[in-house]
Amino acid sequence: MTRLIILDFDGTLADTQPIIIASVQHALRELGLPERTDAECRSIIGLPLRECFTTLCGVDEGLAERCADVYRRVFDELNTDGTVRLFPHVLETLTALHDRGLQLAICSSRGRPTLEGFVKTFHLERYVSMVVSANDVEHHKPHPEPVQKILAALGVVPGEAVVVGDASYDILMGRAAGCRTVGVTYGNQSAAALRAAGADHLIDDFADLLTCLQPWDR
């Protein structure tokens, strides 16, 4: 039986892609680094912030941290009311899952301040039992530590948990922790990338998660 759903945030619950890409590209311009396309910037969404820049540009840790500082400033400037929205059917589906008695957790590579801010903005605290951010673990996605931290805290074994995300990092993390995995195809990575990472199921709409879980509960 499924007892716990572990959810990614960016690209799974909320559409943060435009503001992330704009913030990354602004940071590159401000620090005189080579420009990157929208597709290139999109490919690193889901990694911890500093790692986004080491992966995207091959810069050293020091310059990556400077990029991250600029990114945070620009992101905060752009993050006005209504800029980030939940994907369709997210709130209704979270309500239905919660009403079924399932525990819900959020596991994100986003820093805790902005992640907690979004949880409060969208009133997700009424559904979510635990939030794990990039600041809460030593090893980030796709390492299993974030999921293992949630499982241990909530007293759930891996076979009773499902990890849901839009990126290969989410799927690889969930599989490494021994959980079942669901990839959402409307986020930042393609269905092919999610399939290649080993997702057990793919869904095109967050509401499809309700149907997707049924065979695992028999």
Side-chain angles (χ1 to χ4, degrees), residues 3-52:
R3 294 179 54 204
L4 170 66
I5 311 296
I6 300 174
L7 301 155
D8 172 54
F9 183 80
D10 297 272
T12 300
L13 298 181
D15 184 8
T16 53
Q17 184 183 125
I19 188 174
I20 289 175
I21 290 175
S23 300
V24 169
Q25 291 175 335
H26 185 106
L28 297 179
R29 287 194 302 271
E30 184 167 318
L31 293 174
L33 293 168
E35 294 183 4
R36 292 292 185 266
T37 65
D38 287 3
E40 289 172 320
C41 294
R42 185 168 56 248
S43 71
I44 49 83
I45 296 176
L47 293 172
L49 187 51
R50 188 169 58 187
E51 189 175 338
C52 286

Side-chain angles (χ1 to χ4, degrees), residues 81-96:
D81 289 346
T83 299
V84 174
R85 297 180 181 273
L86 295 179
F87 284 109
H89 309 132
V90 164
L91 277 181
E92 302 95 315
T93 305
L94 293 180
T95 300

Side-chain angles (χ1 to χ4, degrees), residues 41-211:
C41 294
R42 185 168 56 248
S43 71
I44 49 83
I45 296 176
L47 293 172
L49 187 51
R50 188 169 58 187
E51 189 175 338
C52 286
F53 290 101
T54 58
T55 301
L56 189 63
C57 306
V59 296
D60 61 28
E61 293 289 325
L63 185 50
E65 187 57 44
R66 289 176 59 198
C67 290
D69 288 341
V70 175
Y71 172 97
R72 293 186 190 98
R73 188 194 78 229
V74 174
F75 188 97
D76 287 344
E77 292 170 355
L78 296 177
N79 187 27
T80 56
D81 289 346
T83 299
V84 174
R85 297 180 181 273
L86 295 179
F87 284 109
H89 309 132
V90 164
L91 277 181
E92 302 95 315
T93 305
L94 293 180
T95 300
L97 292 168
H98 186 265
D99 289 347
R100 286 186 185 183
L102 292 169
Q103 294 188 84
L104 305 175
I106 293 176
C107 177
S108 175
S109 293
R110 176 172 293 282
R112 178 163 282 278
T114 57
L115 183 59
E116 287 186 336
F118 282 131
V119 167
K120 292 177 182 177
T121 295
F122 297 119
H123 306 293
L124 301 181
E125 64 272 2
R126 70 184 70 175
Y127 309 108
V128 175
S129 301
M130 185 174 181
V131 173
V132 170
S133 71
N135 302 115
D136 302 318
V137 294
E138 182 177 350
H139 304 290
H140 304 99
K141 301 178 184 181
H143 194 280
E145 182 188 344
V147 169
Q148 292 168 339
K149 186 179 183 76
I150 293 171
L151 295 174
L154 298 182
V156 176
V157 299
E160 297 172 331
V162 177
V163 174
V164 184
D166 71 305
S168 57
Y169 319 118
D170 301 306
I171 304 304
L172 293 169
M173 172 184 66
R175 285 171 54 84
C179 301
R180 292 160 292 173
T181 58
V182 175
V184 303
T185 61
Y186 53 77
N188 296 304
Q189 290 191 15
S190 67
L194 296 167
R195 195 175 292 111
D200 293 302
H201 287 284
L202 298 180
I203 57 175
D204 300 322
D205 186 302
F206 193 75
D208 294 338
L209 185 58
L210 296 171
T211 304

